[in-house]
Amino acid sequence: MSEEVAPVILSNEPGSFPRSVLAERHPALIKKVRDAFPYGPRQHRALDALLTQATQGVIEPLGPEAHDRHLWEEWGSEYVGMSWFDVPFLWAESYFYRQLLTAVGYFEGGPWQGIDPFRPFKQAELHTGEADEELAALDRLAARPRDEQRQALLLGSLWGNRADLGFAAGGGGAGAVDSRLVADDSEVLWSLLPEGGAGTLCLVADNAGRELLPDLILIDHLLLRERAERAVLHVKPYPYYVSDAMNADVIDCLRHLNRARGAAAEVGERLWSAMGTGRLAVRSHTFSCAPLPYARMPDDLRQDFAEADVTVMKGDLNYRRLVGDQLWPATTPFEERTAYFPGPVAALRTLKSDVVVGLDERTEAALVAEHGQGWRTSGTHALIQARR
């Protein structure tokens, strides 16, 4: 199916999920950010202006002093002057977050430069009793057979803060989690990471905090069990989409693991050491915050992915960018939508937007019969998809 056949997702349809994000979630987020820090009058005025612009006005260009103005002009200058609701949903969302950083003074010189406006939310989620319980479950998980360990850690990474790492140790939790998988190519993924292999795993991270912890724990397991000789973790170069992980968030998680007890502390020590030896590398690329599909990635990022034995894309946003943020029929093959990708690729994603491919007809029909189209955006279902 050509890209022209599948409509690009916009936000101008009343009652649609994309419209609710722009009309409801973004205004609520502006208030949340405003209340999270003792910003001064200048930031307050800028946040108020962004609220008005994003809900009632049109898209305005970045200021002439913006360090990345040339990039955004390349990525979508044709949208300036249009309604936020009439441009591609992926572009509008991404540009909103870029403008939010301008409003709080993240990039300009001054006291708020480099202050992550989302850090309080990330920290609150990381330091919870639930997060501590999940780390403690690693001690019980260590007593389970190796195959159960790897699958538990994979599902922990998939579900993030919606599933704890101890379900395998607890017995019956696995079936409930598996029943919510709309696609499961986990065996294909494991075949790309054979035990005793000496390859490179590239993991493109999604959220920070309590969702990044199981990603790091999975990486440690793969390095420890020699399913990967080296891991490369891609994070965002600046704050993005509320909770997306940056290098600072990786460090926060490693320190959190090191302060834990038992198996979790051992994981933290190994990962800290792995960064020192180069077995675990953290990278960020400007394109990670681009409002574009990965099909348009630059050559240097393409080369990075090409050198990996498998690239794992985590989360909903990366999935949208991987397959294209368009209304594909759900039965469109995953292999078809990722054919451009320069190497083996997998997706671990909780469904929180309309985009989905790679389902069989029976699965889609059953989901629609039970949930209507709500299963696409509710976060109650997930998928593991992979292609060699």
mmCIF file of all heavy atoms in Angstrom, residues 193-233:
data_model
loop_
_atom_site.group_PDB
_atom_site.id
_atom_site.type_symbol
_atom_site.label_atom_id
_atom_site.label_comp_id
_atom_site.label_asym_id
_atom_site.label_seq_id
_atom_site.Cartn_x
_atom_site.Cartn_y
_atom_site.Cartn_z
ATOM 1 N N LEU A 193 18.921 -12.245 19.092
ATOM 2 C CA LEU A 193 19.844 -12.066 20.225
ATOM 3 C C LEU A 193 20.167 -13.434 20.821
ATOM 4 O O LEU A 193 19.828 -13.727 21.968
ATOM 5 C CB LEU A 193 19.204 -11.163 21.286
ATOM 6 C CG LEU A 193 18.967 -9.704 20.888
ATOM 7 C CD1 LEU A 193 17.999 -9.037 21.852
ATOM 8 C CD2 LEU A 193 20.291 -8.942 20.849
ATOM 9 N N PRO A 194 20.822 -14.297 20.061
ATOM 10 C CA PRO A 194 21.083 -15.659 20.546
ATOM 11 C C PRO A 194 22.071 -15.663 21.706
ATOM 12 O O PRO A 194 22.973 -14.821 21.788
ATOM 13 C CB PRO A 194 21.671 -16.353 19.317
ATOM 14 C CG PRO A 194 22.306 -15.255 18.544
ATOM 15 C CD PRO A 194 21.414 -14.063 18.733
ATOM 16 N N GLU A 195 21.875 -16.601 22.607
ATOM 17 C CA GLU A 195 22.792 -16.730 23.738
ATOM 18 C C GLU A 195 24.179 -17.106 23.204
ATOM 19 O O GLU A 195 24.323 -17.961 22.336
ATOM 20 C CB GLU A 195 22.298 -17.798 24.716
ATOM 21 C CG GLU A 195 22.973 -17.710 26.068
ATOM 22 C CD GLU A 195 22.154 -18.338 27.179
ATOM 23 O OE1 GLU A 195 21.041 -18.826 26.885
ATOM 24 O OE2 GLU A 195 22.610 -18.331 28.327
ATOM 25 N N GLY A 196 25.176 -16.429 23.728
ATOM 26 C CA GLY A 196 26.534 -16.639 23.250
ATOM 27 C C GLY A 196 26.881 -15.755 22.070
ATOM 28 O O GLY A 196 27.998 -15.798 21.545
ATOM 29 N N GLY A 197 25.932 -14.930 21.641
ATOM 30 C CA GLY A 197 26.190 -14.033 20.522
ATOM 31 C C GLY A 197 27.115 -12.900 20.934
ATOM 32 O O GLY A 197 27.278 -12.580 22.114
ATOM 33 N N ALA A 198 27.734 -12.291 19.959
ATOM 34 C CA ALA A 198 28.683 -11.218 20.232
ATOM 35 C C ALA A 198 28.276 -9.949 19.505
ATOM 36 O O ALA A 198 29.109 -9.165 19.068
ATOM 37 C CB ALA A 198 30.088 -11.636 19.812
ATOM 38 N N GLY A 199 26.968 -9.769 19.355
ATOM 39 C CA GLY A 199 26.487 -8.654 18.558
ATOM 40 C C GLY A 199 26.199 -7.409 19.369
ATOM 41 O O GLY A 199 26.444 -7.333 20.576
ATOM 42 N N THR A 200 25.638 -6.422 18.667
ATOM 43 C CA THR A 200 25.304 -5.130 19.263
ATOM 44 C C THR A 200 23.792 -4.952 19.298
ATOM 45 O O THR A 200 23.110 -5.125 18.281
ATOM 46 C CB THR A 200 25.933 -3.973 18.459
ATOM 47 O OG1 THR A 200 27.352 -4.080 18.514
ATOM 48 C CG2 THR A 200 25.513 -2.625 19.022
ATOM 49 N N LEU A 201 23.279 -4.634 20.467
ATOM 50 C CA LEU A 201 21.881 -4.277 20.650
ATOM 51 C C LEU A 201 21.777 -2.769 20.682
ATOM 52 O O LEU A 201 22.510 -2.103 21.414
ATOM 53 C CB LEU A 201 21.345 -4.855 21.962
ATOM 54 C CG LEU A 201 20.049 -4.225 22.502
ATOM 55 C CD1 LEU A 201 18.859 -4.627 21.642
ATOM 56 C CD2 LEU A 201 19.824 -4.604 23.957
ATOM 57 N N CYS A 202 20.874 -2.216 19.890
ATOM 58 C CA CYS A 202 20.559 -0.795 19.963
ATOM 59 C C CYS A 202 19.145 -0.667 20.504
ATOM 60 O O CYS A 202 18.220 -1.254 19.934
ATOM 61 C CB CYS A 202 20.678 -0.144 18.583
ATOM 62 S SG CYS A 202 20.343 1.625 18.597
ATOM 63 N N LEU A 203 18.979 0.028 21.599
ATOM 64 C CA LEU A 203 17.659 0.227 22.187
ATOM 65 C C LEU A 203 17.348 1.720 22.171
ATOM 66 O O LEU A 203 18.089 2.518 22.751
ATOM 67 C CB LEU A 203 17.575 -0.334 23.599
ATOM 68 C CG LEU A 203 16.163 -0.423 24.193
ATOM 69 C CD1 LEU A 203 16.028 -1.618 25.142
ATOM 70 C CD2 LEU A 203 15.765 0.857 24.937
ATOM 71 N N VAL A 204 16.280 2.092 21.477
ATOM 72 C CA VAL A 204 15.852 3.486 21.414
ATOM 73 C C VAL A 204 14.819 3.690 22.512
ATOM 74 O O VAL A 204 13.703 3.170 22.435
ATOM 75 C CB VAL A 204 15.272 3.828 20.032
ATOM 76 C CG1 VAL A 204 14.900 5.308 19.971
ATOM 77 C CG2 VAL A 204 16.289 3.492 18.938
ATOM 78 N N ALA A 205 15.212 4.412 23.544
ATOM 79 C CA ALA A 205 14.409 4.516 24.759
ATOM 80 C C ALA A 205 13.159 5.360 24.535
ATOM 81 O O ALA A 205 13.076 6.183 23.618
ATOM 82 C CB ALA A 205 15.239 5.103 25.890
ATOM 83 N N ASP A 206 12.208 5.156 25.426
ATOM 84 C CA ASP A 206 10.976 5.934 25.433
ATOM 85 C C ASP A 206 10.970 6.781 26.700
ATOM 86 O O ASP A 206 11.676 7.772 26.787
ATOM 87 C CB ASP A 206 9.774 4.998 25.345
ATOM 88 C CG ASP A 206 8.446 5.726 25.270
ATOM 89 O OD1 ASP A 206 8.403 6.817 24.665
ATOM 90 O OD2 ASP A 206 7.441 5.216 25.804
ATOM 91 N N ASN A 207 10.250 6.361 27.711
ATOM 92 C CA ASN A 207 10.069 7.175 28.897
ATOM 93 C C ASN A 207 11.162 6.971 29.942
ATOM 94 O O ASN A 207 11.828 5.940 29.994
ATOM 95 C CB ASN A 207 8.705 6.878 29.533
ATOM 96 C CG ASN A 207 7.560 7.363 28.675
ATOM 97 O OD1 ASN A 207 7.710 8.280 27.874
ATOM 98 N ND2 ASN A 207 6.403 6.738 28.823
ATOM 99 N N ALA A 208 11.292 7.983 30.790
ATOM 100 C CA ALA A 208 12.254 7.961 31.884
ATOM 101 C C ALA A 208 11.627 7.308 33.115
ATOM 102 O O ALA A 208 10.599 6.637 33.035
ATOM 103 C CB ALA A 208 12.706 9.388 32.197
ATOM 104 N N GLY A 209 12.280 7.497 34.261
ATOM 105 C CA GLY A 209 11.721 7.079 35.532
ATOM 106 C C GLY A 209 11.461 5.595 35.635
ATOM 107 O O GLY A 209 12.286 4.759 35.292
ATOM 108 N N ARG A 210 10.259 5.286 36.088
ATOM 109 C CA ARG A 210 9.901 3.906 36.377
ATOM 110 C C ARG A 210 9.810 3.052 35.115
ATOM 111 O O ARG A 210 9.833 1.825 35.200
ATOM 112 C CB ARG A 210 8.566 3.910 37.115
ATOM 113 C CG ARG A 210 8.194 2.589 37.748
ATOM 114 C CD ARG A 210 6.938 2.765 38.565
ATOM 115 N NE ARG A 210 6.246 1.496 38.722
ATOM 116 C CZ ARG A 210 4.961 1.391 39.031
ATOM 117 N NH1 ARG A 210 4.238 2.471 39.205
ATOM 118 N NH2 ARG A 210 4.400 0.212 39.166
ATOM 119 N N GLU A 211 9.717 3.663 33.935
ATOM 120 C CA GLU A 211 9.684 2.894 32.700
ATOM 121 C C GLU A 211 11.080 2.652 32.136
ATOM 122 O O GLU A 211 11.288 1.697 31.388
ATOM 123 C CB GLU A 211 8.792 3.595 31.673
ATOM 124 C CG GLU A 211 7.345 3.656 32.129
ATOM 125 C CD GLU A 211 6.399 4.109 31.028
ATOM 126 O OE1 GLU A 211 6.636 3.744 29.864
ATOM 127 O OE2 GLU A 211 5.437 4.818 31.340
ATOM 128 N N LEU A 212 12.026 3.525 32.461
ATOM 129 C CA LEU A 212 13.399 3.333 32.003
ATOM 130 C C LEU A 212 14.112 2.256 32.828
ATOM 131 O O LEU A 212 14.985 1.557 32.310
ATOM 132 C CB LEU A 212 14.164 4.654 32.085
ATOM 133 C CG LEU A 212 15.609 4.654 31.595
ATOM 134 C CD1 LEU A 212 15.705 4.208 30.136
ATOM 135 C CD2 LEU A 212 16.231 6.040 31.770
ATOM 136 N N LEU A 213 13.736 2.124 34.088
ATOM 137 C CA LEU A 213 14.371 1.104 34.941
ATOM 138 C C LEU A 213 14.309 -0.298 34.331
ATOM 139 O O LEU A 213 15.343 -0.968 34.214
ATOM 140 C CB LEU A 213 13.733 1.102 36.334
ATOM 141 C CG LEU A 213 14.184 2.194 37.306
ATOM 142 C CD1 LEU A 213 13.344 2.133 38.582
ATOM 143 C CD2 LEU A 213 15.659 2.037 37.652
ATOM 144 N N PRO A 214 13.131 -0.798 33.931
ATOM 145 C CA PRO A 214 13.097 -2.143 33.343
ATOM 146 C C PRO A 214 13.835 -2.238 32.007
ATOM 147 O O PRO A 214 14.315 -3.313 31.646
ATOM 148 C CB PRO A 214 11.609 -2.448 33.190
ATOM 149 C CG PRO A 214 10.922 -1.142 33.272
ATOM 150 C CD PRO A 214 11.759 -0.280 34.145
ATOM 151 N N ASP A 215 13.950 -1.121 31.268
ATOM 152 C CA ASP A 215 14.767 -1.139 30.054
ATOM 153 C C ASP A 215 16.226 -1.404 30.400
ATOM 154 O O ASP A 215 16.905 -2.207 29.753
ATOM 155 C CB ASP A 215 14.660 0.198 29.316
ATOM 156 C CG ASP A 215 13.273 0.464 28.767
ATOM 157 O OD1 ASP A 215 12.482 -0.492 28.654
ATOM 158 O OD2 ASP A 215 12.978 1.629 28.449
ATOM 159 N N LEU A 216 16.718 -0.708 31.416
ATOM 160 C CA LEU A 216 18.105 -0.889 31.833
ATOM 161 C C LEU A 216 18.333 -2.282 32.406
ATOM 162 O O LEU A 216 19.382 -2.902 32.172
ATOM 163 C CB LEU A 216 18.472 0.176 32.867
ATOM 164 C CG LEU A 216 18.577 1.614 32.321
ATOM 165 C CD1 LEU A 216 18.650 2.616 33.467
ATOM 166 C CD2 LEU A 216 19.790 1.749 31.403
ATOM 167 N N ILE A 217 17.359 -2.778 33.136
ATOM 168 C CA ILE A 217 17.482 -4.121 33.708
ATOM 169 C C ILE A 217 17.516 -5.171 32.604
ATOM 170 O O ILE A 217 18.276 -6.142 32.664
ATOM 171 C CB ILE A 217 16.335 -4.377 34.709
ATOM 172 C CG1 ILE A 217 16.491 -3.463 35.931
ATOM 173 C CG2 ILE A 217 16.310 -5.834 35.144
ATOM 174 C CD1 ILE A 217 15.272 -3.415 36.821
ATOM 175 N N LEU A 218 16.702 -4.977 31.562
ATOM 176 C CA LEU A 218 16.730 -5.891 30.418
ATOM 177 C C LEU A 218 18.085 -5.830 29.717
ATOM 178 O O LEU A 218 18.647 -6.877 29.361
ATOM 179 C CB LEU A 218 15.613 -5.529 29.435
ATOM 180 C CG LEU A 218 15.574 -6.350 28.138
ATOM 181 C CD1 LEU A 218 15.330 -7.827 28.427
ATOM 182 C CD2 LEU A 218 14.506 -5.795 27.186
ATOM 183 N N ILE A 219 18.627 -4.652 29.522
ATOM 184 C CA ILE A 219 19.945 -4.509 28.906
ATOM 185 C C ILE A 219 20.993 -5.244 29.717
ATOM 186 O O ILE A 219 21.836 -5.968 29.178
ATOM 187 C CB ILE A 219 20.308 -3.020 28.756
ATOM 188 C CG1 ILE A 219 19.484 -2.383 27.640
ATOM 189 C CG2 ILE A 219 21.800 -2.848 28.467
ATOM 190 C CD1 ILE A 219 19.665 -0.882 27.516
ATOM 191 N N ASP A 220 20.944 -5.086 31.041
ATOM 192 C CA ASP A 220 21.900 -5.793 31.896
ATOM 193 C C ASP A 220 21.798 -7.299 31.715
ATOM 194 O O ASP A 220 22.812 -8.002 31.628
ATOM 195 C CB ASP A 220 21.646 -5.420 33.360
ATOM 196 C CG ASP A 220 22.440 -6.294 34.327
ATOM 197 O OD1 ASP A 220 23.675 -6.137 34.395
ATOM 198 O OD2 ASP A 220 21.816 -7.159 34.978
ATOM 199 N N HIS A 221 20.568 -7.803 31.657
ATOM 200 C CA HIS A 221 20.363 -9.248 31.493
ATOM 201 C C HIS A 221 20.966 -9.731 30.177
ATOM 202 O O HIS A 221 21.626 -10.778 30.136
ATOM 203 C CB HIS A 221 18.867 -9.560 31.542
ATOM 204 C CG HIS A 221 18.540 -11.003 31.312
ATOM 205 N ND1 HIS A 221 18.620 -11.958 32.311
ATOM 206 C CD2 HIS A 221 18.140 -11.670 30.187
ATOM 207 C CE1 HIS A 221 18.282 -13.138 31.819
ATOM 208 N NE2 HIS A 221 17.991 -12.995 30.535
ATOM 209 N N LEU A 222 20.760 -8.988 29.114
ATOM 210 C CA LEU A 222 21.266 -9.388 27.804
ATOM 211 C C LEU A 222 22.790 -9.363 27.767
ATOM 212 O O LEU A 222 23.423 -10.229 27.157
ATOM 213 C CB LEU A 222 20.694 -8.477 26.720
ATOM 214 C CG LEU A 222 19.172 -8.543 26.545
ATOM 215 C CD1 LEU A 222 18.698 -7.504 25.540
ATOM 216 C CD2 LEU A 222 18.727 -9.939 26.125
ATOM 217 N N LEU A 223 23.383 -8.383 28.434
ATOM 218 C CA LEU A 223 24.844 -8.335 28.517
ATOM 219 C C LEU A 223 25.380 -9.449 29.409
ATOM 220 O O LEU A 223 26.367 -10.112 29.077
ATOM 221 C CB LEU A 223 25.296 -6.974 29.052
ATOM 222 C CG LEU A 223 25.037 -5.759 28.157
ATOM 223 C CD1 LEU A 223 25.420 -4.470 28.889
ATOM 224 C CD2 LEU A 223 25.822 -5.867 26.848
ATOM 225 N N LEU A 224 24.703 -9.676 30.524
ATOM 226 C CA LEU A 224 25.157 -10.682 31.482
ATOM 227 C C LEU A 224 25.069 -12.081 30.897
ATOM 228 O O LEU A 224 25.969 -12.908 31.089
ATOM 229 C CB LEU A 224 24.320 -10.586 32.763
ATOM 230 C CG LEU A 224 24.662 -11.558 33.891
ATOM 231 C CD1 LEU A 224 26.064 -11.280 34.432
ATOM 232 C CD2 LEU A 224 23.623 -11.450 35.010
ATOM 233 N N ARG A 225 23.993 -12.360 30.175
ATOM 234 C CA ARG A 225 23.772 -13.698 29.605
ATOM 235 C C ARG A 225 24.391 -13.847 28.218
ATOM 236 O O ARG A 225 24.120 -14.823 27.523
ATOM 237 C CB ARG A 225 22.275 -13.994 29.542
ATOM 238 C CG ARG A 225 21.586 -13.973 30.898
ATOM 239 C CD ARG A 225 22.224 -14.934 31.879
ATOM 240 N NE ARG A 225 21.572 -14.914 33.175
ATOM 241 C CZ ARG A 225 22.056 -15.482 34.273
ATOM 242 N NH1 ARG A 225 23.225 -16.114 34.211
ATOM 243 N NH2 ARG A 225 21.401 -15.417 35.414
ATOM 244 N N GLU A 226 25.173 -12.858 27.824
ATOM 245 C CA GLU A 226 25.913 -12.892 26.566
ATOM 246 C C GLU A 226 24.982 -13.054 25.357
ATOM 247 O O GLU A 226 25.300 -13.723 24.382
ATOM 248 C CB GLU A 226 26.976 -14.003 26.577
ATOM 249 C CG GLU A 226 28.041 -13.790 27.639
ATOM 250 C CD GLU A 226 29.132 -14.845 27.577
ATOM 251 O OE1 GLU A 226 28.869 -15.938 27.046
ATOM 252 O OE2 GLU A 226 30.242 -14.570 28.062
ATOM 253 N N ARG A 227 23.826 -12.405 25.446
ATOM 254 C CA ARG A 227 22.971 -12.302 24.267
ATOM 255 C C ARG A 227 23.334 -11.048 23.468
ATOM 256 O O ARG A 227 22.859 -10.863 22.345
ATOM 257 C CB ARG A 227 21.495 -12.281 24.669
ATOM 258 C CG ARG A 227 20.990 -13.651 25.108
ATOM 259 C CD ARG A 227 19.508 -13.644 25.395
ATOM 260 N NE ARG A 227 19.025 -15.004 25.641
ATOM 261 C CZ ARG A 227 18.570 -15.830 24.706
ATOM 262 N NH1 ARG A 227 18.545 -15.427 23.445
ATOM 263 N NH2 ARG A 227 18.157 -17.036 25.016
ATOM 264 N N ALA A 228 24.126 -10.200 24.049
ATOM 265 C CA ALA A 228 24.679 -9.029 23.368
ATOM 266 C C ALA A 228 26.053 -8.764 23.966
ATOM 267 O O ALA A 228 26.246 -8.863 25.180
ATOM 268 C CB ALA A 228 23.775 -7.818 23.543
ATOM 269 N N GLU A 229 26.987 -8.440 23.109
ATOM 270 C CA GLU A 229 28.317 -8.068 23.568
ATOM 271 C C GLU A 229 28.358 -6.600 23.962
ATOM 272 O O GLU A 229 29.103 -6.192 24.843
ATOM 273 C CB GLU A 229 29.339 -8.332 22.454
ATOM 274 C CG GLU A 229 30.747 -7.858 22.758
ATOM 275 C CD GLU A 229 31.357 -8.534 23.970
ATOM 276 O OE1 GLU A 229 30.971 -9.688 24.276
ATOM 277 O OE2 GLU A 229 32.222 -7.911 24.624
ATOM 278 N N ARG A 230 27.483 -5.840 23.315
ATOM 279 C CA ARG A 230 27.494 -4.388 23.515
ATOM 280 C C ARG A 230 26.078 -3.864 23.333
ATOM 281 O O ARG A 230 25.313 -4.377 22.527
ATOM 282 C CB ARG A 230 28.440 -3.740 22.491
ATOM 283 C CG ARG A 230 28.618 -2.248 22.603
ATOM 284 C CD ARG A 230 29.788 -1.819 21.721
ATOM 285 N NE ARG A 230 29.936 -0.375 21.719
ATOM 286 C CZ ARG A 230 29.393 0.438 20.820
ATOM 287 N NH1 ARG A 230 28.674 -0.077 19.822
ATOM 288 N NH2 ARG A 230 29.567 1.755 20.888
ATOM 289 N N ALA A 231 25.744 -2.832 24.090
ATOM 290 C CA ALA A 231 24.427 -2.199 23.983
ATOM 291 C C ALA A 231 24.604 -0.701 23.780
ATOM 292 O O ALA A 231 25.457 -0.074 24.418
ATOM 293 C CB ALA A 231 23.585 -2.463 25.220
ATOM 294 N N VAL A 232 23.795 -0.154 22.885
ATOM 295 C CA VAL A 232 23.773 1.284 22.641
ATOM 296 C C VAL A 232 22.362 1.779 22.970
ATOM 297 O O VAL A 232 21.385 1.293 22.402
ATOM 298 C CB VAL A 232 24.123 1.619 21.179
ATOM 299 C CG1 VAL A 232 24.054 3.127 20.952
ATOM 300 C CG2 VAL A 232 25.505 1.088 20.821
ATOM 301 N N LEU A 233 22.277 2.704 23.901
ATOM 302 C CA LEU A 233 20.997 3.229 24.359
ATOM 303 C C LEU A 233 20.819 4.642 23.808
ATOM 304 O O LEU A 233 21.589 5.552 24.133
ATOM 305 C CB LEU A 233 20.950 3.251 25.894
ATOM 306 C CG LEU A 233 19.684 3.797 26.543
ATOM 307 C CD1 LEU A 233 18.480 2.919 26.235
ATOM 308 C CD2 LEU A 233 19.877 3.917 28.063
#
